[in-house]
Amino acid sequence: MFGFDESTVFVFIGVAAAAAVALVVFASRRAGQRRLEQLGPAFELGTAKLPSALSSSVEGIYLGYTCRYTVEQRSQYSPGGATLRIGAASPLHWSASKADVGSRLMTNLGILKDVEIGDAELDERLRFSGSDQTSLLTVFGQTRTREALRKLALSENFASIAVRDQRSEIKWAPRLPELDDDPDAVRQRLAQAIDVLAACGYPPTMG
């Protein structure tokens, strides 16, 4: 019988742990490369890249805007979906999320504060909030802005849009691989989201 001292056991454990980490890193890099090959065509030619070697996102340029598209897998704690972050400069903070039974109830009870923009269809479909109600009403007083948001809000699985100083974030949920992983569907999402930002007059951020 061969005996193993404590130091030998620790060496074996260390080697096994290193091998497991290397396997995870290799699998993550392979998955990232496949994601880049699959979704890269959604962006402008030659601009798509992985933000980092182990990233679950694809970053690229579309109509002059820097965009980062991330797919979240469905889990026990999350329905999953996709998130699009776009570099755009906005003087106003506002958001619009898909209205559901829960949000309508909380609004009726006064727990959530809702802003109506004066468009019956959008006010029924979305829950608006903003840092400056007057400015928000001015932005959505334009037909082009309302129509652009209407197209985005009517897109399949649309969940929300949040606009901040230097970045906007649009979410689609729950996870739907035939949309989230399809380059044509992703390109349409890019186009619709940027159409909203452009209609609002928010230019791309630099860098």
Side-chain angles (χ1 to χ4, degrees):
M1 297 291 293
F2 291 97
F4 293 95
D5 58 26
E6 190 173 300
S7 61
T8 303
V9 172
F10 284 140
V11 169
F12 282 150
I13 292 174
V15 170
V21 170
L23 185 61
V24 170
V25 170
F26 177 75
S28 297
R29 286 180 173 175
R30 285 287 301 274
Q33 191 58 42
R34 286 196 300 270
R35 190 176 299 109
L36 178 60
E37 292 171 357
Q38 184 176 30
L39 298 181
F43 300 86
E44 292 180 4
L45 185 63
T47 65
K49 63 180 181 179
L50 297 176
S52 66
L54 303 181
S55 177
S56 61
S57 307
V58 176
E59 187 174 277
I61 306 294
Y62 193 85
L63 297 179
Y65 290 82
T66 300
C67 307
R68 179 175 292 189
Y69 183 81
T70 305
V71 173
E72 180 186 353
Q73 300 300 329
R74 188 188 295 268
S75 70
Q76 180 182 352
Y77 307 103
S78 170
T83 300
L84 175 62
R85 292 179 178 177
I86 303 175
S90 169
L92 176 67
H93 290 191
W94 62 270
S95 65
S97 57
K98 188 176 179 181
D100 55 24
V101 175
S103 65
R104 289 192 181 99
L105 177 61
M106 287 189 287
T107 299
N108 291 335
L109 293 174
I111 299 173
L112 293 178
K113 191 171 183 180
D114 203 356
V115 176
E116 293 190 349
I117 63 168
D119 183 292
E121 182 184 2
L122 289 175
D123 285 330
E124 174 66 22
R125 180 174 291 274
L126 302 173
R127 184 171 60 82
F128 290 89
S129 63
S131 57
D132 185 327
Q133 183 173 344
T134 301
S135 297
L136 184 62
L137 294 176
T138 299
V139 169
F140 287 102
Q142 307 171 57
T143 301
R144 181 191 171 194
T145 308
R146 293 197 301 271
E147 287 304 313
L149 183 59
R150 197 186 321 277
K151 288 181 181 179
L152 178 63
L154 288 172
S155 64
E156 191 170 358
N157 271 21
F158 171 81
S160 65
I161 176 172
V163 176
R164 297 295 181 263
D165 294 343
Q166 300 294 313
R167 186 180 73 188
S168 296
E169 185 171 280
I170 303 91
K171 294 185 177 181
W172 292 266
R175 176 85 166 107
L176 199 61
E178 56 266 37
L179 286 177
D180 301 336
D181 302 337
D182 179 72
D184 292 330
V186 173
R187 188 182 301 111
Q188 186 175 41
R189 287 176 170 180
L190 290 168
Q192 290 175 339
I194 288 174
D195 193 31
V196 172
L197 300 177
C200 292
Y202 304 152
T205 54
M206 302 302 294

